[in-house]
Amino acid sequence: MQIFPRSLNKLPLVAAVAINVIGASLTLGIWYYLTPKHFQVGYAPVQPIPYSHRLHVGQMGMDCRYCHAQVERSAHAQIPPTQTCMGCHAVVKNDSQRLDALRESWEADRPVEWVKIHKLPDHAFFNHSVHVAVGVGCNECHGRVDEMEVVRQDQPLSMAWCLDCHRNPRPHLRPKDQVTNMEWRPEMAANWTPPEVNPPQHCSGCHR
Amino acid sequence: MSRRTDYQFTTNDDAPNVWRSLDAKRKPEEHAERAKAEFPFGTDGVELSSPKPTRKDADSLEVGTFGRRGFMLFAGASAALAGCARRPVENIMPYTKQPEHAVPGISSHYATVYPVRGEAVGLLVESHEGRPTKVEGNPEHPASLGASDTATQAAIWDLYNPDRSQSFAKAGKETTAEDFDTFFADLAKVVAENRGETLRVLMAPTSSPTLLRLRDAVKAKLPGAKFVTWASIDDSSVDAGAKLAFDQAVNTVYTLDDAKVIVAVDSDLLGDEAGSLKSSRGYARGRKLRAPTDTMNRLYVVEPALSVTGMAADHRWRVPASECEGFLVALATELANKHAVDLGTLGSLKAGAVNVPEKWIPAIAKELVQNKGKGVVAVGPRQPARVHALAHAINWALANTGHTVQLFPAADAEVTADHAANLAALTTEMEAGKVETLLILGGNPVYAAPGDVAFADALKKVKNSIHLSFGYDETSSVCAWHAPESHAFEAWGDHRSRSGLYAIQQPLIAPLVASRTAIELLSVLAGQEPKAHAQVRQTFAAVHTGQIGKPLVAKLQVNEAQWKLALKKGLVSEATPRALGAPAARTAEIAKAFEGAGAKAVGPDNLEVTFAPDPRLGDGTSANNPWLLEVPCPISKLVWDNAAFISPATATALKLESGDVVRLSTEGSKPVEVAVFVQPGQGDNTLALTLGWGRQNVGRYGSRHGFDIQPLRTTKGYQFATGVKLEKVTDVSGIVHRFADQGKASEPTPVLGRVGPVGPFDGARYRFVQTQDHHSMEGRPLALDTTLDKYRAQPNFPQFKTPDPKVLPLWKKQDYSKGYKWGMTVDLNACLGCNACVIACQSENNVGVVGKDQVERGREMSWLRIDRYFVGDDENNPQVAIQPVACVHCEEAPCENVCPVNATEHSPEGLNDMAYNRCIGTRYCANNCPYKVRRFNFLNYHGEDGVLPETEKMHMNPNVTVRMRGVMEKCSYCVQRIQEAKIDARREGRLIKEGDFQVACQQACATEAIVFGNLNDPNSEVAKLTKLDRAYRLLSEIGTWPRTSYLGKIRNPNPELV
């Protein structure tokens, strides 16, 4: 007696194929999409002070190092102390409501609690100064900050992404005096040959 | 057919017997079996010495509050949740006003000075964003020469000690700093009314010119007040002996660089004595053979108990402390009578029976005479003043004084001898009600007073007792007032080194708790400016203008430029006094001091005990410091304990074994229960005891560890005592409460694993834990040593060296000939086994502390261990070989081949890297490591989240990952320092050059035994040393190609005594 229709004979095969395909696509999907490239890029939290890089860098043309002053010396580029902001804003826009938090910080001697955007894991020891010293431009990692009203993460900052450049650094290098130039393009120094930099590709280069 | 050949090595027949511990020597098979396991005890079914923990204990121990299954449940759930959640929000808090020189991410070093054991050691302390993290020696300071010791290295942990005194106290209740200040200011007025008649100030001897100036100022203002000098570690006989010899207060500094013969009489001059860093440097420089034609110094040691100096000796004889005097008298007589050395009346002193071999004294005397001006006779602080004076007379008569033995004017012209008697006199006064106000500046007399001085009872009769101390200790709790003392890294001060160099103690951080310093309190009493900063500046000005030592009449002008320079350099070199040259020793006066001397010989019916500061804890002030508690004792390799060391022969005679508890008492002392530990090298019929242990309430880590032997000291027997009564204790139930209750695994300990499920006793036997037993040598020659004559005959250690294997490689060998090729050499001829490098490594690399129970299981985390081997067949008087072993960074590393996840990998510069976040904890690498240098985090030794107090975390090095449970770790060759140097060099567009950086162990080492550098640079020190004929690579015959080379130990025995 035939209880099930004949067409069901194919079910095990179909099921086997389907489970494999679904499984594979799930795996690949998670593998590909649950990565910093898709999860971290674009992270643009609200900051306690609506500071605009587009205005300060893009329109007024301030150099990165005016605020991030230690980038050539230290591992950290350094978020500027309130004092740096007050250098101008004691006189400029000193009644703007948008700067209330800044003035409050200055008067109460309490730091502004900026929200960290570019986060590396604690076991990765990144050093800004050496990257600047060999001529890696700011916007290689941070993107066109001069066009950002609110700063967002531009690159995945994953280990694979780091290694892409460490394995082949030349396309990402520029003359040292152009490091902070947001509009720099390789064509601007056609006769310039990037130096041999040999960045580390072994574990202790970054993990200590 | 297997191509594998049996492990082979060659030793010639006269190679000495080498053994790791008594156990290993007596029962080699049993020991080898136990050491075979990768992690020997408790992890793979091998029984602990006490009953095995139950399953329930083990479960709760592993993860604290919930079991293993519970952990899996939570781990699964949190992993699932983590997938859905965004990263937590982190904030960046910039400065509001940035200090001028503070750059986030760049550490700065501040020069300061730290008092250690009667010497002021100049330091450079590393600070990250205002947070001190690491101590280094100041290369320009003569007492440091860039090196440091365990005490200075561990000082950084003490700063963040969570159990340091947190507040002022009045009658045991918390009070405020304002309350105390008001009380103290009023008190200063009250004591002034009767010119200080009822005021006593109890303080330790000091070299601080500011403190001494204030002391004189108080005395001038309050002529009735008395200053009582007392410290638990009484080194006063050194000064008193010098005063007796030269009739002035002088400090003795040994300059051993050119010394040819060193005779140490009960003296640990290379280990735990004032100026040991400088002495060690000089001693080692005289032994760094670069070729067989080089000469080296010879060290004779005569001592009751094995010491760091004794372990380094070429000739060592065990003589009871009470008979060392006889030895020196005999030596003096021999010098005067046989060699016509002019010792005046000292030449006719009567030498009693001397317990050294017959040939010894003539041989030593002959050598000393042959090396006039290049010999040293050193006496330790345990010996009475007259013995020191006699040594001075000998050194003077042999023209050593002024050359190898230098004399400098002492900072304090008042020499006060015999601290115990001082304290006894004060106690009598207190009992008689003559003391209304007692100011105790540091120290812990209630804990450390001699057994026959009832200081604690007398203290109750004092109306105003004030105790200034770093911890709220035994003394604080019975004093009317307690004031927290600032740490040396928090307060202004100053010190003079023994050679007279003035250095300013510069604070690195504002006091973490409201606290005061001795300078501040004395200033109030003297009616002067109470700010330590202002006081020190006045002293500085006085030093600079040559007015030091005189009372200051008017306020001095401080030269700001000079002041800043002094702070920057950490010292004031312009104002250094000159060495005194060679004043004549007063032989007649010294001879007078020997009248009536002579003690009953030590023997089985007249046992002796000797007291010494513990090589780890000192006098017990730092007894809560887990680094010091866990570092193995350099002599016995015991952790978390002290013991009464007893020689194997005496132990057999008294039917005692290691762990047996005995009750000791001497005339006038209180009885003391202490467990004995059978220690090869210990003198017969003499027991060695160390101070500083057994404190009942010192903090979460140090409370109730070891044995408090203070009550056994008496005013007469403060340094050593004979006529000891010894009785074996068979029932320990009366004393078991004195020890940390290791029976409860669930006890809310701050860090898991620091206590374990096994109690302190195994029946009536105390459970000692020793690290040296953990691994077996498998009969291989590891620490190579030979004598100078044999080395000269065959410079290449041919009896030990084995060829590198001639097996074809399985893969292409990496080419390391370009770029940096890091390597290290360790000179076994220089290494003293002092542990400074071990603590330096721990501090630099955030190495965890695991607790006694975990050490027993073989889970200690120290990246650098110091192996101590006994050499020779004599159990009672063996020679010692010391070998520091850390990861040797094999070029063909066996650990790398077995890691399933590539967590340990080789860098192109030859470093064996460890990527902690890749490690899944299979422990294959540790199993496959022939050197046993890999360490596994069985538990979260740094504490589960939120368990460790915030302040305690502050000592961590921010440049090194803090490892968690389940991760393997090991020596990284301080890769963070290499990378920092590389980044600095690259920024300047150059390559790293020799001297740009040092690794932590190398930097701490006083004897320059450890050298690190680039092997590809032919001019680097390490490359040159690797090519010496003494160099060998550990276990090179198995083909690991280690980067660390050892330089074999060469002993220099006197041919006449062999």
Side-chain angles (χ1 to χ4, degrees):
Chain A
M1 202 175 78
Q2 186 88 22
I3 297 177
F4 297 107
R6 254 178 198 286
S7 57
L8 276 186
N9 282 356
K10 284 184 189 152
L11 188 66
L13 184 71
V14 171
V17 170
I19 286 168
N20 273 313
V21 167
I22 293 169
S25 41
L26 260 178
T27 310
L28 289 173
I30 289 172
W31 193 324
Y32 188 72
Y33 284 105
L34 291 188
T35 52
K37 189 172 164 188
H38 296 89
F39 259 65
Q40 315 297 358
V41 173
Y43 178 52
V46 178
Q47 300 289 356
I49 298 171
Y51 176 83
S52 165
H53 276 84
R54 180 158 68 190
L55 174 68
H56 289 84
V57 185
Q59 292 179 22
M60 299 193 297
M62 281 168 68
D63 191 274
C64 306
R65 289 165 297 186
Y66 186 84
C67 300
H68 304 293
Q70 305 301 343
V71 73
E72 290 167 311
R73 291 174 62 200
S74 170
H76 305 298
Q78 194 186 13
I79 301 300
T82 312
Q83 200 172 17
T84 307
C85 310
M86 290 304 285
C88 298
H89 287 290
V91 241
V92 182
K93 296 262 182 194
N94 57 5
D95 52 355
S96 164
Q97 276 184 6
R98 287 157 62 97
L99 294 176
D100 278 352
L102 180 73
R103 282 189 295 270
E104 199 187 305
S105 152
W106 182 245
E107 276 150 25
D109 196 15
R110 215 175 18 236
V112 179
E113 298 188 15
W114 299 100
V115 181
K116 194 169 184 178
I117 300 165
H118 301 93
K119 277 193 270 191
L120 291 183
D122 288 348
H123 57 273
F125 292 82
F126 176 81
N127 190 304
H128 272 95
S129 69
V130 72
H131 288 84
V132 171
V134 297
V136 180
C138 300
N139 58 347
E140 286 290 336
C141 309
H142 294 285
R144 292 295 297 265
V145 174
D146 61 328
E147 291 169 359
M148 296 179 194
E149 185 64 37
V150 176
V151 175
R152 64 173 187 278
Q153 185 169 336
D154 189 67
Q155 297 290 331
L157 308 186
S158 64
M159 183 163 139
W161 172 83
C162 291
L163 277 172
D164 282 345
C165 181
H166 274 227
R167 288 184 178 127
N168 182 21
R170 287 209 166 157
H172 305 275
L173 299 181
R174 58 179 80 171
K176 285 176 198 169
D177 56 352
Q178 298 297 321
V179 165
T180 57
N181 183 355
M182 287 285 150
E183 284 160 0
W184 192 85
R185 276 167 288 108
E187 305 87 86
M188 290 164 69
N191 297 329
W192 178 79
T193 0
E196 188 73 52
V197 290
N198 293 322
Q201 292 168 41
H202 55 277
C203 307
S204 60
C206 311
H207 307 296
R208 289 151 210 172
Chain B
M1 191 187 77
S2 168
R3 286 172 137 252
R4 220 175 121 178
T5 45
D6 278 343
Y7 182 83
Q8 282 176 339
F9 60 88
T10 49
T11 52
N12 66 354
D13 296 336
D14 66 350
N17 187 9
V18 178
W19 35 291
R20 290 174 79 90
S21 65
L22 268 184
D23 241 19
K25 181 167 184 286
R26 290 178 178 167
K27 304 171 214 158
E29 287 84 20
E30 208 175 291
H31 182 263
E33 192 58 38
R34 208 149 35 112
K36 230 176 210 172
E38 168 208 351
F39 295 103
F41 311 101
T43 47
D44 49 2
V46 182
E47 294 268 324
L48 289 162
S49 60
S50 306
K52 256 188 114 174
T54 61
R55 180 58 187 247
K56 206 172 151 210
D57 280 340
D59 260 8
S60 49
L61 176 74
E62 294 293 312
V63 282
T65 47
F66 51 90
R68 200 176 288 139
R69 292 191 189 94
F71 169 76
M72 289 309 290
L73 190 77
F74 279 101
S78 52
L81 281 173
C84 312
R86 246 204 181 281
R87 298 184 295 179
V89 170
E90 265 177 60
N91 290 319
I92 299 178
M93 318 272 237
Y95 291 100
T96 46
K97 299 176 189 76
Q98 186 155 357
E100 198 179 343
H101 300 291
V103 179
I106 296 182
S107 62
S108 31
H109 285 77
Y110 289 90
T112 184
V113 63
Y114 190 75
V116 186
R117 194 65 205 281
E119 177 61 290
V121 179
L123 301 179
L124 299 177
V125 184
E126 184 176 349
S127 173
H128 287 269
E129 286 97 55
R131 173 170 65 92
T133 57
K134 178 78 174 65
V135 173
E136 308 292 1
N138 183 351
E140 288 183 40
H141 194 276
S144 157
L145 302 166
S148 46
D149 55 18
T150 46
T152 43
Q153 283 293 338
I156 205 82
W157 193 93
D158 276 344
L159 172 64
Y160 301 118
N161 183 349
D163 298 316
R164 62 184 281 190
S165 175
Q166 299 292 320
S167 74
F168 289 80
K170 181 187 180 182
K173 293 199 180 66
E174 271 186 34
T175 182
T176 59
E178 290 73 36
D179 260 5
F180 176 81
D181 288 344
T182 319
F183 156 77
F184 200 71
D186 290 347
L187 185 77
K189 280 178 209 142
V190 173
V191 292
E193 280 167 15
N194 61 357
R195 297 156 45 86
E197 289 296 337
T198 56
L199 169 71
R200 299 290 176 269
V201 182
L202 180 63
M203 61 192 277
T206 179
S207 69
S208 161
T210 301
L211 264 183
L212 293 172
R213 177 168 64 77
L214 288 169
R215 186 185 72 186
D216 294 343
V218 172
K219 277 183 184 170
K221 192 177 170 220
L222 309 168
K226 271 190 208 156
F227 281 77
V228 182
T229 307
W230 171 84
S232 175
I233 299 176
D234 178 7
D235 290 352
S236 60
S237 65
V238 181
D239 303 333
K243 170 110 180 172
L244 175 59
F246 302 113
D247 198 24
Q248 54 181 318
V250 294
N251 288 333
T252 315
V253 174
Y254 302 122
T255 309
L256 303 182
D257 299 57
D258 303 323
K260 288 288 163 218
V261 195
I262 304 160
V263 183
V265 181
D266 194 10
S267 166
D268 192 6
L269 77 162
L270 306 179
D272 209 5
E273 246 170 58
S276 62
L277 292 174
K278 180 179 160 57
S279 302
S280 310
R281 173 71 50 96
Y283 160 81
R285 289 217 164 143
R287 292 180 87 86
K288 294 222 162 105
L289 301 180
R290 292 204 167 229
T293 47
D294 287 358
T295 56
M296 63 191 278
N297 61 35
R298 181 168 294 152
L299 173 62
Y300 296 93
V301 175
V302 172
E303 62 181 2
L306 191 59
S307 67
V308 166
T309 311
M311 294 199 295
D314 294 305
H315 284 286
R316 176 172 179 274
W317 202 256
R318 300 170 300 141
V319 173
S322 50
E323 293 174 15
C324 285
E325 179 176 322
F327 168 82
L328 202 62
V329 170
L331 184 63
T333 325
E334 174 84 12
L335 284 169
N337 300 338
K338 299 270 171 67
H339 298 280
V341 174
D342 181 17
L343 281 167
T345 42
L346 283 171
S348 51
L349 286 178
K350 247 185 240 150
V354 186
N355 235 338
V356 293
E358 212 175 295
K359 287 187 201 159
W360 264 58
I361 289 177
I364 296 176
K366 194 173 144 197
E367 270 214 281
L368 280 172
V369 172
Q370 279 168 355
N371 292 290
K372 274 190 183 176
K374 288 187 170 176
V376 173
V377 178
V379 174
R382 195 150 48 195
Q383 294 295 322
R386 58 172 183 258
V387 186
H388 288 270
L390 178 58
H392 276 300
I394 295 175
N395 281 326
W396 167 73
L398 290 171
N400 298 334
T401 309
H403 297 104
T404 46
V405 181
Q406 296 200 319
L407 303 175
F408 292 91
D412 188 0
E414 279 177 38
V415 174
T416 2
D418 204 347
H419 291 177
N422 295 346
L423 194 67
L426 173 66
T427 308
T428 317
E429 272 196 313
M430 284 155 68
E431 274 164 353
K434 286 183 189 157
V435 183
E436 234 170 68
T437 306
L438 176 65
L439 178 60
I440 307 171
L441 298 174
N444 186 1
V446 169
Y447 161 75
D452 57 349
V453 174
F455 183 81
D457 295 335
L459 196 55
K460 287 174 195 147
K461 298 206 173 138
V462 178
K463 197 174 113 202
N464 296 314
S465 48
I466 304 132
H467 188 218
L468 174 76
S469 69
F470 186 69
Y472 187 79
D473 57 27
E474 291 85 343
T475 309
S476 315
S477 57
V478 288
C479 279
W481 285 84
H482 158 74
E485 187 179 13
S486 313
H487 191 274
F489 296 162
E490 293 172 338
W492 287 98
D494 52 10
H495 296 281
R496 266 190 196 284
S497 72
R498 291 180 69 79
S499 60
L501 186 78
Y502 178 74
I504 295 164
Q505 174 188 309
Q506 178 182 203
L508 280 107
I509 188 169
L512 294 170
V513 294
S515 51
R516 296 289 175 270
T517 62
I519 291 179
E520 287 164 350
L521 295 191
L522 282 189
S523 310
V524 175
L525 279 189
Q528 295 188 7
E529 159 71 54
K531 285 219 167 69
H533 179 239
Q535 289 288 357
V536 172
R537 275 167 63 91
Q538 283 298 298
T539 313
F540 168 79
V543 167
H544 236 271
T545 48
Q547 299 180 49
I548 192 68
K550 299 165 201 155
L552 291 184
V553 269
K555 205 169 172 218
L556 296 171
Q557 197 66 34
V558 179
N559 182 331
E560 290 301 328
Q562 298 284 9
W563 168 256
K564 280 192 178 148
L565 188 69
L567 291 183
K568 184 170 180 242
K569 286 169 68 179
L571 43 91
V572 185
S573 44
E574 301 90 322
T576 311
R578 285 170 172 228
L580 286 175
R586 306 185 303 158
T587 47
E589 276 80 0
I590 302 169
K592 230 179 268 168
F594 275 89
E595 278 166 22
K600 192 185 166 203
V602 169
D605 54 345
N606 185 24
L607 297 179
E608 181 192 71
V609 285
T610 60
F611 304 103
D614 190 82
R616 296 155 287 169
L617 295 188
D619 64 353
T621 311
S622 305
N624 195 38
N625 189 320
W627 292 353
L628 294 175
L629 287 162
E630 192 159 292
V631 71
C633 165
I635 315 297
S636 61
K637 297 288 158 191
L638 288 177
V639 295
W640 290 88
D641 274 311
N642 65 338
F645 293 150
I646 189 168
S647 78
T650 310
T652 315
L654 295 171
K655 299 194 177 61
L656 292 172
E657 281 185 48
S658 285
D660 283 343
V661 179
V662 293
R663 185 171 294 124
L664 302 175
S665 58
T666 62
E667 199 190 332
S669 84
K670 291 181 188 143
V672 155
E673 287 85 13
V674 57
V676 299
F677 184 80
V678 182
Q679 174 65 42
Q682 171 69 24
D684 291 336
N685 302 313
T686 169
L687 283 85
L689 299 169
T690 58
L691 312 174
W693 289 87
R695 291 185 57 187
Q696 294 297 302
N697 195 13
V698 64
R700 64 196 74 194
Y701 304 117
S703 290
R704 296 182 294 151
H705 282 287
F707 301 88
D708 175 11
I709 52 92
Q710 301 282 359
L712 194 61
R713 298 174 96 188
T714 59
T715 33
K716 280 197 185 121
Y718 203 53
Q719 307 283 19
F720 54 86
T722 50
V724 177
K725 288 197 200 81
L726 181 148
E727 161 198 5
K728 190 170 168 179
V729 178
T730 45
D731 178 18
V732 294
S733 57
I735 60 165
V736 71
H737 67 274
R738 288 184 204 158
F739 303 96
D741 184 4
Q742 286 151 333
K744 283 187 216 144
S746 54
E747 201 172 308
T749 48
V751 175
L752 286 171
R754 285 194 188 169
V755 295
V758 187
F761 285 93
D762 184 5
R765 199 159 276 179
Y766 189 75
R767 223 177 96 236
F768 280 123
V769 173
Q770 217 192 347
T771 53
Q772 185 67 11
D773 253 352
H774 280 172
H775 308 291
S776 159
M777 298 171 63
E778 308 269 347
R780 298 159 181 159
L782 301 180
L784 304 192
D785 69 322
T786 188
T787 62
L788 186 60
D789 291 342
K790 283 185 190 168
Y791 167 65
R792 282 180 176 156
Q794 291 181 301
N796 288 312
F797 281 91
Q799 67 270 44
F800 293 119
K801 278 208 175 150
T802 45
D804 291 314
K806 293 191 187 82
V807 184
L808 288 177
L810 291 170
W811 47 79
K812 198 173 147 227
K813 269 201 93 172
Q814 175 89 29
D815 178 21
Y816 292 111
S817 61
K818 292 202 180 69
Y820 304 115
K821 179 179 175 182
W822 305 114
M824 184 186 274
T825 56
V826 182
D827 190 345
L828 300 185
N829 219 17
C831 178
L832 300 165
C834 71
N835 278 337
C837 52
V838 179
I839 304 278
C841 172
Q842 184 152 27
S843 176
E844 172 71 16
N845 292 304
N846 302 335
V847 175
V849 172
V850 301
K852 182 175 165 183
D853 178 73
Q854 295 284 308
V855 177
E856 184 172 23
R857 293 159 187 256
R859 294 175 178 180
E860 65 269 23
M861 296 304 292
S862 55
W863 285 7
L864 175 59
R865 67 165 192 264
I866 297 185
D867 284 340
R868 176 224 54 197
Y869 298 104
F870 291 118
V871 183
D873 287 317
D874 187 355
E875 272 185 9
N876 287 294
N877 195 18
Q879 286 191 306
V880 183
I882 293 159
Q883 183 173 42
V885 184
C887 176
V888 294
H889 292 263
C890 313
E891 284 184 7
E892 299 294 329
C895 51
E896 291 170 8
N897 302 337
V898 293
C899 181
V901 292
N902 270 355
T904 183
E905 274 280 285
H906 231 68
S907 88
E909 293 158 10
L911 300 184
N912 176 232
D913 287 346
M914 190 62 222
Y916 306 117
N917 279 64
R918 273 187 187 174
C919 179
I920 56 169
T922 63
R923 297 189 268 136
Y924 295 168
C925 54
N927 258 325
N928 216 29
C929 172
Y931 305 93
K932 293 291 162 246
V933 290
R934 286 183 161 264
R935 302 280 180 259
F936 186 66
N937 289 276
F938 280 90
L939 303 172
N940 258 344
Y941 294 122
H942 286 293
E944 302 287 345
D945 271 353
V947 182
L948 211 59
E950 284 299 318
T951 45
E952 201 188 323
K953 291 181 196 162
M954 285 169 71
H955 69 73
M956 299 282 190
N957 183 352
N959 292 331
V960 177
T961 310
V962 177
R963 285 80 57 187
M964 66 171 299
R965 202 162 85 110
V967 172
M968 189 61 73
E969 61 184 68
K970 58 150 199 96
C971 164
S972 65
Y973 266 176
C974 281
V975 65
Q976 67 281 3
R977 293 193 177 195
I978 299 178
Q979 292 296 349
E980 200 179 315
K982 263 163 84 173
I983 288 170
D984 288 348
R986 170 153 278 181
R987 217 166 32 220
E988 291 163 26
R990 59 178 176 88
L991 292 174
I992 298 181
K993 54 183 191 301
E994 177 90 345
D996 270 3
F997 73 102
Q998 288 179 302
V999 290
C1001 51
Q1002 172 191 20
Q1003 192 158 11
C1005 185
T1007 60
E1008 298 165 315
I1010 301 176
V1011 176
F1012 183 87
N1014 180 7
L1015 290 169
N1016 275 348
D1017 172 4
N1019 296 319
S1020 73
E1021 183 71 5
V1022 70
K1024 287 178 197 160
L1025 291 175
T1026 314
K1027 290 191 193 99
L1028 292 191
D1029 45 21
R1030 281 197 293 140
Y1032 69 96
R1033 292 191 304 264
L1034 202 57
L1035 300 182
S1036 71
E1037 60 274 19
I1038 57 176
T1040 48
W1041 295 94
R1043 278 284 171 87
T1044 300
S1045 297
Y1046 289 87
L1047 305 179
K1049 185 176 177 70
I1050 312 286
R1051 297 180 199 275
N1052 187 16
N1054 186 339
E1056 289 181 29
L1057 295 180
V1058 177

